[in-house]
């Protein structure tokens, strides 16, 4: 019996894992959003690593996004302004960073919540989202994918007063950003028996 190490097409495996994450998040009451990768330069404080578009359609679409966070906060603000008290969203998408002469692409998952932890009902209390609410979702996603916690590739935080003002948010948004490319979502090889 001989074991062979064979390369696997990572794209298909990654999509399967991403779809499992999507299904899990939807089952937990999070809605998936899909935002544009072209954003305004004003969305980011650090402009050194921005990838600029040569011929942008408008100033609102002049750079590639460094992070999914600004688009998520705009979505939160939009829903808040329409009296949606249950704003639980997630997005799987790419961020782009200038690395010398090259553009580095990173696949990210952002999970964000603002307002109540659950939909309001007569049998449920109003409990606001918090750090631990988001952290528990991240832990369950990692467990469902058999992944280990890695502080280098997982960021859990909440919006600052400056971000709330900039994006017109009445409350803090609690969010997590997972760098999917770095979290070993894809196994490199498979074993074949011959």
């Amino acid at each position: 019996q001989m074991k062979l190490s064979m390369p696997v097409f990572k794209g298909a495996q990654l999509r399967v894992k991403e779809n499992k994450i999507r299904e899990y998040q939807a089952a937990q009451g999070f809605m998936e959003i899909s935002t544009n990768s072209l954003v305004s330069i004003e969305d980011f404080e650090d402009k050194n690593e921005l990838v600029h578009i040569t011929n942008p359609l408008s100033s609102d679409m002049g750079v590639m996004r460094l992070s999914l966070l600004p688009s998520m906060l705009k979505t939160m603000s939009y829903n808040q302004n329409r009296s949606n008290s249950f704003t639980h969203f997630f997005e799987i998408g790419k961020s782009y960073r200038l690395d010398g002469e090259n553009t580095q692409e990173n696949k990210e998952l952002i999970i964000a919540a603002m307002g109540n932890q659950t939909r309001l009902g007569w049998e449920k209390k109003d409990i606001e989202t918090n750090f631990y609410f988001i952290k528990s979702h991240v832990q369950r996603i990692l467990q469902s994918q058999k992944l280990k916690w890695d502080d280098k590739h997982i960021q859990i935080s909440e919006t600052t007063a400056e971000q709330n003002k900039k994006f017109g948010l009445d409350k803090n948004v609690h969010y997590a950003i997972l760098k999917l490319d770095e979290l070993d979502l894809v196994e490199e090889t498979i074993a074949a028996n011959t």
Side-chain angles (χ1 to χ4, degrees), residues 49-51 64-67 94-108 153 179 181-182:
E49 297 180 312
L50 287 174
V51 178
M64 304 293 285
R65 62 186 174 192
L66 274 174
S67 167
K94 289 187 178 180
S95 63
Y96 304 85
R97 185 173 307 283
L98 197 61
D99 184 17
E101 298 275 326
N102 301 318
T103 300
Q104 180 184 0
E105 292 182 22
N106 296 305
K107 184 71 73 113
E108 294 181 356
H153 307 301
K179 298 193 181 307
D181 292 334
E182 308 296 333

Side-chain angles (χ1 to χ4, degrees), residues 50-105:
L50 287 174
V51 178
H52 292 266
I53 303 302
T54 305
N55 195 6
L57 295 173
S58 73
S59 61
D60 287 345
M61 295 169 34
V63 296
M64 304 293 285
R65 62 186 174 192
L66 274 174
S67 167
L68 305 181
L69 184 60
S71 299
M72 177 62 78
L73 297 181
K74 288 177 183 177
T75 302
M76 290 289 196
S77 177
Y78 179 88
N79 280 272
Q80 168 199 277
N81 294 338
R82 280 142 189 85
S83 301
N84 184 358
S85 64
F86 184 77
T87 50
H88 293 59
F89 299 114
F90 75 97
E91 181 177 14
I92 296 175
K94 289 187 178 180
S95 63
Y96 304 85
R97 185 173 307 283
L98 197 61
D99 184 17
E101 298 275 326
N102 301 318
T103 300
Q104 180 184 0
E105 292 182 22

